[in-house]
Amino acid sequence: MNSVVVLIIGFVVAFIGYRIYAKYIDTKIMKADPKRATPAKMYMDGVEFMPTSKNILFGYQFKSIAGAAPIIGPIIAIQWGWLPALLWILAGAFFIGWVQDYSSAMIAMRHEGASFGGLSHKLISPKARIILLSFIYFYLLLIAGAFGNVVVSTAIGLKAAPMAWLLLTIGGVLAGQMIYRWKKDIILTTVVTVVIALFGIWLGTIAPSNKIIGESLANSRWVWAIAAFVFCYFGAVLPIWRFALPINYVGSYIVFLGLFFGIIGIFILHPDFTLPAYTGFSIKIGPLWPILFVTIACGAISGWHSIVSSSGTARQLEYETDARPVAGGVMFVEMMLAIFALVIVGTLYASSADYGAAIAKGPGAIFAGGVSKFLGALGLPLDTGRSYGSVMMIVLAVTIMQLVIRFMRIATSELLSDVSPIFKNAHVGTIIASILGIILVLTGWFQYLWILFGGANQLMASLALMLVTAYLMSEGKPAAYAFYPMIFMFFTTVAALLYTSYGLLSKVFTGAVKGAEALIGNTLMGLIGFFLVIAAIILAVEGVKAFNRYRAIRAQAAPAKA
């Protein structure tokens, strides 16, 4: 299969999904109304609720949902063959991914910007609120651990990355000041701040971290773990417009430019896939079902997107009609990013043996090599292209982490504020989340952590679709487009979590795990996995009760109408 054909298939799926399927759901079922007041306008506080142009929100949404996962997932999943990975990316995004992202934003807007905690209380049951918030907290902790690992590994492996990260932060903070305080033109603001971020990539090549802080500190996991969570601290406690929103907006251009010119490079070189289309149902990391479906999360379907869309984007949308291009449209862009990563890994190596040697060094190096190859087709030096690809990885990961800690802070307040008023304090919730995240980053084995995160992520997606289904049923709207994806995701991800958690704990009980850090990491991740499964089953039972209640209400209303 030629890589250009794969890209064209992706573009066609994205076009049909957005222009036909998403438009139908938006206009005929959800019935988005541009005249309906949104939470951003009703409750504008300059902190969480902030009316924002869809042009800015598009970049914010993309950078907020597109972390390292749409790159790492396909690079790992190609071990089953590129064809199963491609089919899941296309089908997942078309039938489930955009559905969850868009619908989560819509139901949150229709409920005054309520988080999933508030939505579950109203749409499912009071018990569901506590269980779902607990689920979300530990699920977010797994994301912090998984993406924290990516940030730390990239900062150590590419000494140019920290300088690029610093200049991105400076550019992002400046963008927030220019847009919301100085009221500067968005085009001028974008050009100035993106140039600063790009300058950081170049500056990092001549001022790497080891020359600035020394080899010992530059290679310390502690240093970069603490740096990542200090960054996240500001993203969690500062007003959304001051730090998280503008940094993610500027960061989106780093990714957009890499993706755009990388795809042009693919069209120029048009390589064929050299790795096998299919290798077998069971491989070293597990069976194709259910593990493939959690290895590739973002790019196909990701529960993280529902958290961003409901607790973040829904509080910033100016009009309901902006939800389809922002929440729905961005999902198809992320799908193309996942396909781009799949093309890279599928065409970069002459054989499975070459790929096996490369994946042992980490997926980040594979992606950087692919970006270097395809940007090189446009004349960019290979070393610069490799640096750009590595910086894309760290930008993708760290900009997600700051929102994870922000949402963990919100969940802490919702869960524990009744226990003690101190948990309402933004700094307390942020510090607790950061400490737990650092522990997981420094003790979790990446491959198991990634798969466990993927399982929790997809299970979160099924629970988000459960809330969407409950909302549709409560309103008497057709719910099949959300109900059937929910069923598939729930059973698939429960199976994946059980498989992974059992494997983690069995190694502990049989003494196969050596070393204190590995013992702590395996035990912690295994217990979290089983907790998430139990919580999800309880929520599913509560969801079934709610569905039956809505059916009964509609059945009683039907004779009255007749």
Side-chain angles (χ1 to χ4, degrees), residues 95-168:
F95 291 107
I96 315 176
W98 81 264
V99 167
Q100 178 214 224
D101 297 14
Y102 160 84
S103 300
S104 296
M106 287 298 292
I107 66 171
M109 280 198 294
R110 296 276 171 88
H111 290 84
E112 302 182 333
S115 68
F116 274 173
L119 289 170
S120 60
H121 183 280
K122 181 172 183 179
L123 295 171
I124 305 296
S125 71
K127 182 194 297 185
R129 173 183 175 273
I130 301 299
I131 300 297
L132 183 58
L133 282 173
S134 301
F135 178 97
I136 288 173
Y137 192 88
F138 286 103
Y139 155 66
L140 291 174
L141 177 59
L142 288 174
I143 297 179
F147 282 78
N149 262 291
V150 173
V151 172
V152 170
S153 299
T154 305
I156 292 173
L158 180 72
K159 300 301 189 289
M163 183 60 71
W165 176 9
L166 176 62
L167 269 291
L168 168 66

Side-chain angles (χ1 to χ4, degrees), residues 32 54 137 181 190 266 368 416 476 492 553 559:
K54 66 181 178 181
Y137 192 88
R181 282 291 182 264
T190 302
I266 291 173
L416 300 176
T492 297
I553 292 172

Side-chain angles (χ1 to χ4, degrees), residues 33-386:
D33 183 359
K35 297 180 180 179
R36 190 195 299 258
T38 63
K41 293 180 177 179
M42 292 189 292
Y43 305 112
M44 182 175 63
D45 60 7
V47 179
E48 300 290 343
F49 295 86
M50 189 80 180
T52 305
S53 164
K54 66 181 178 181
N55 298 318
I56 296 175
L57 271 186
F58 189 92
Y60 164 80
Q61 176 81 359
F62 176 72
K63 195 59 237 50
S64 297
I65 68 170
I71 292 172
I72 294 175
I75 289 175
I76 294 175
I78 204 168
Q79 293 175 73
W80 284 282
W82 60 260
L83 184 58
L86 176 64
L87 292 176
W88 170 230
I89 291 170
L90 295 172
F94 187 92
F95 291 107
I96 315 176
W98 81 264
V99 167
Q100 178 214 224
D101 297 14
Y102 160 84
S103 300
S104 296
M106 287 298 292
I107 66 171
M109 280 198 294
R110 296 276 171 88
H111 290 84
E112 302 182 333
S115 68
F116 274 173
L119 289 170
S120 60
H121 183 280
K122 181 172 183 179
L123 295 171
I124 305 296
S125 71
K127 182 194 297 185
R129 173 183 175 273
I130 301 299
I131 300 297
L132 183 58
L133 282 173
S134 301
F135 178 97
I136 288 173
Y137 192 88
F138 286 103
Y139 155 66
L140 291 174
L141 177 59
L142 288 174
I143 297 179
F147 282 78
N149 262 291
V150 173
V151 172
V152 170
S153 299
T154 305
I156 292 173
L158 180 72
K159 300 301 189 289
M163 183 60 71
W165 176 9
L166 176 62
L167 269 291
L168 168 66
T169 304
I170 293 172
V173 171
L174 177 62
Q177 187 71 15
M178 292 179 71
I179 294 171
Y180 295 106
R181 282 291 182 264
W182 299 342
K183 307 297 182 182
K184 297 297 182 181
D185 178 74
I186 185 63
I187 296 178
L188 172 66
T189 299
T190 302
V191 171
V192 170
T193 55
V194 170
V195 167
I196 290 173
L198 292 172
F199 175 72
I201 297 176
W202 173 81
L203 185 61
T205 62
I206 62 173
S209 58
N210 58 324
K211 288 186 178 181
I212 297 175
I213 62 176
E215 290 289 347
S216 178
L217 292 178
N219 290 304
S220 170
R221 292 184 63 83
W222 274 98
V223 166
W224 299 118
I226 292 173
F229 283 97
V230 168
F231 174 90
C232 294
Y233 171 83
F234 290 110
V237 302
L238 290 176
I240 191 77
W241 67 268
R242 173 66 75 183
F243 200 87
L245 171 61
I247 288 176
N248 282 16
Y249 172 70
V250 175
S252 70
Y253 279 91
I254 302 298
V255 181
F256 280 141
L257 290 172
L259 177 61
F260 177 75
F261 288 111
I263 287 177
I264 291 177
I266 291 173
F267 274 91
I268 292 173
L269 298 179
H270 52 82
D272 291 325
F273 276 79
T274 51
L275 294 185
Y278 178 69
T279 61
F281 187 83
S282 293
I283 61 175
K284 184 179 180 179
I285 59 176
L288 189 148
W289 187 93
I291 302 301
L292 169 68
F293 298 90
V294 301
T295 302
I296 298 179
C298 297
I301 164 68
S302 166
W304 165 247
H305 299 187
S306 68
I307 304 291
V308 172
S309 295
S310 60
S311 296
T313 306
R315 300 177 181 184
Q316 300 172 72
L317 287 164
E318 282 189 290
Y319 306 100
E320 279 195 354
T321 47
D322 289 347
R324 182 169 72 98
V326 172
V330 166
M331 179 61 222
F332 288 109
V333 178
E334 191 191 56
M335 180 192 78
M336 293 307 302
L337 178 60
I339 292 176
F340 177 60
L342 186 67
V343 168
I344 283 177
V345 67
T347 62
L348 197 59
Y349 300 102
S351 67
S352 297
D354 291 341
Y355 163 79
I359 194 64
K361 299 178 182 178
I366 291 177
F367 182 72
V371 171
S372 176
K373 173 183 176 179
F374 292 120
L375 292 184
L378 303 176
L380 195 71
L382 293 180
D383 287 344
T384 304
R386 188 175 295 106

Side-chain angles (χ1 to χ4, degrees), residues 474-504:
S474 71
E475 295 291 316
K477 297 176 181 290
Y481 86 95
F483 176 78
Y484 290 111
M486 174 197 71
I487 296 297
F488 172 77
M489 293 309 302
F490 182 83
F491 285 104
T492 297
T493 51
V494 164
L497 277 173
L498 288 174
Y499 179 90
T500 305
S501 299
Y502 174 79
L504 286 165

